[in-house]
């Protein structure tokens, strides 16, 4: 089904599905907003191509980065009147917009699709629970290592030398927004991880030199 990357919504033109209306495909350039926090929800939203980051605005206007999404992931289910988060394209992206109750009709007609949605939502809940535990029980360095392992599992590409490249561009501020600390703290923890031989020096791309030792550090 579409949540695992084999969905029928990859084209750019609107098409119709059994049990509902037209599905519109919208293209977004790098950095464009797919939707804004607080804006009305018009229907369900599926990331068909590319990647996107989800974030929310905390008190004081600070953005809190929640996660990066891949093609095939469901971004919005219309169970509320307004978006609770914002989404921004990472590279060029295409989303499928499903109006009104069409998506719920699809779930009714396709039980396997409904199961995949439940699995995705369950994984999202587990991810947020883990973040809460990390914030309460782990140091900033351990949270940073844990986040890199999470990104490695979802976006990592193993290299021929055994290292893992995380095909994303994140600034120290992005890491700080996710793990709940200051940019200065992240910079110090990055130095600490480099001194342990887990990250390369002077490299703009995100690379994990020794995934097993990184996992041991988190445990």
């Amino acid at each position: 089904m579409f949540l695992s990357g084999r969905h029928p919504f990859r084209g750019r033109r609107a098409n119709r599905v059994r049990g509902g209306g037209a599905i519109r495909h919208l293209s977004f350039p790098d950095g464009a907003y797919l939707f804004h926090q607080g804006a009305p929800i018009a229907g369900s939203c599926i990331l068909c191509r590319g990647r996107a980051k989800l974030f929310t605005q905390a008190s004081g206007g600070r953005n809190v980065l929640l996660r990066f999404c891949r093609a095939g992931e469901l971004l919005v289910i219309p169970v509320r009147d307004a978006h609770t988060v914002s989404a921004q394209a990472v590279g060029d992206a295409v989303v499928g917009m499903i109006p009104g109750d069409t998506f719920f009709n699809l779930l009714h007609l396709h039980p396997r699709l409904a199961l995949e949605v439940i699995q995705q939502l369950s994984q999202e809940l587990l991810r947020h629970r883990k973040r809460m535990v990390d914030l309460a029980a782990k140091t900033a360095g351990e949270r940073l290592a844990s986040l890199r392992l999470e990104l490695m599992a979802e976006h990592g590409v193993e290299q021929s030398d055994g290292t893992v490249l995380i095909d994303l561009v994140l600034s120290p501020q992005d890491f700080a927004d996710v793990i709940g600390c200051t940019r200065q703290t992240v910079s110090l923890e990055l130095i600490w991880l480099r001194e342990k031989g887990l990250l390369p020096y002077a490299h703009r791309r995100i690379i994990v030199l020794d995934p097993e030792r990184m996992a041991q550090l988190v445990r």
Side-chain angles (χ1 to χ4, degrees), residues 138-146 179 185 189 192-193 217-218:
K138 293 183 177 180
T139 66
E142 291 169 338
R143 297 200 301 272
L144 183 59
S146 180
I179 67 174
T185 298
E189 296 299 339
W192 179 66
L193 290 173
L217 175 63
V218 173

Side-chain angles (χ1 to χ4, degrees), residues 13-196:
R13 294 176 298 178
N15 53 299
R16 299 189 69 83
V17 293
R18 181 185 171 194
I23 299 175
R24 293 189 304 144
H25 292 85
L26 305 175
S27 298
F28 296 87
D30 180 36
Y33 281 83
L34 311 183
F35 50 81
H36 291 269
Q37 182 176 345
I41 295 178
S44 300
C45 178
I46 302 158
L47 185 60
C48 299
R49 188 178 305 154
R51 284 176 293 189
K53 62 180 180 180
L54 301 181
F55 58 92
T56 186
Q57 192 172 73
S59 59
R62 177 184 175 185
N63 288 332
V64 178
L65 181 60
L66 300 175
R67 66 181 300 257
F68 286 88
C69 301
R70 298 172 292 177
E73 291 195 56
L74 182 65
L75 301 180
V76 178
I77 299 178
V79 294
R80 296 174 178 265
D81 294 330
H83 291 285
T84 58
V85 299
S86 296
Q88 191 174 22
V90 179
D92 294 338
V94 176
V95 300
M97 303 296 295
I98 307 178
D101 293 330
T102 300
F103 185 72
F104 296 108
N105 292 335
L106 284 172
L107 297 183
H108 178 73
L109 291 170
H110 303 284
R112 183 180 173 186
L113 174 60
L115 178 59
E116 288 201 40
V117 171
I118 292 172
Q119 290 174 337
Q120 179 178 316
L121 295 177
S122 298
Q123 291 171 358
E124 186 75 7
L125 179 60
L126 289 174
R127 183 182 294 108
H128 286 302
R129 285 179 175 175
K130 181 179 179 299
R131 291 270 178 85
M132 292 177 64
V133 172
D134 286 353
L135 283 171
K138 293 183 177 180
T139 66
E142 291 169 338
R143 297 200 301 272
L144 183 59
S146 180
L147 174 59
R148 284 179 175 260
L149 288 175
E150 179 183 311
L151 294 174
M152 185 180 71
E154 296 183 355
H155 304 278
V157 179
E158 186 172 358
Q159 307 298 291
S160 58
D161 59 0
T163 63
V164 177
L165 168 66
I166 301 172
D167 191 20
L168 291 169
V169 178
L170 282 83
S171 68
Q173 187 60 57
D174 289 330
F175 281 110
D177 289 342
V178 175
I179 67 174
C181 66
T182 64
R183 178 174 178 173
Q184 290 76 13
T185 298
V186 166
S187 296
L188 291 174
E189 296 299 339
L190 287 173
I191 293 173
W192 179 66
L193 290 173
R194 291 188 182 105
E195 289 176 346
K196 284 185 168 292

Side-chain angles (χ1 to χ4, degrees), residues 204-217:
R204 297 186 62 183
R205 307 178 80 184
I206 305 174
I207 296 177
V208 177
L209 297 177
D210 192 333
E212 180 57 33
R213 282 185 58 210
M214 184 79 79
Q216 291 174 358
L217 175 63

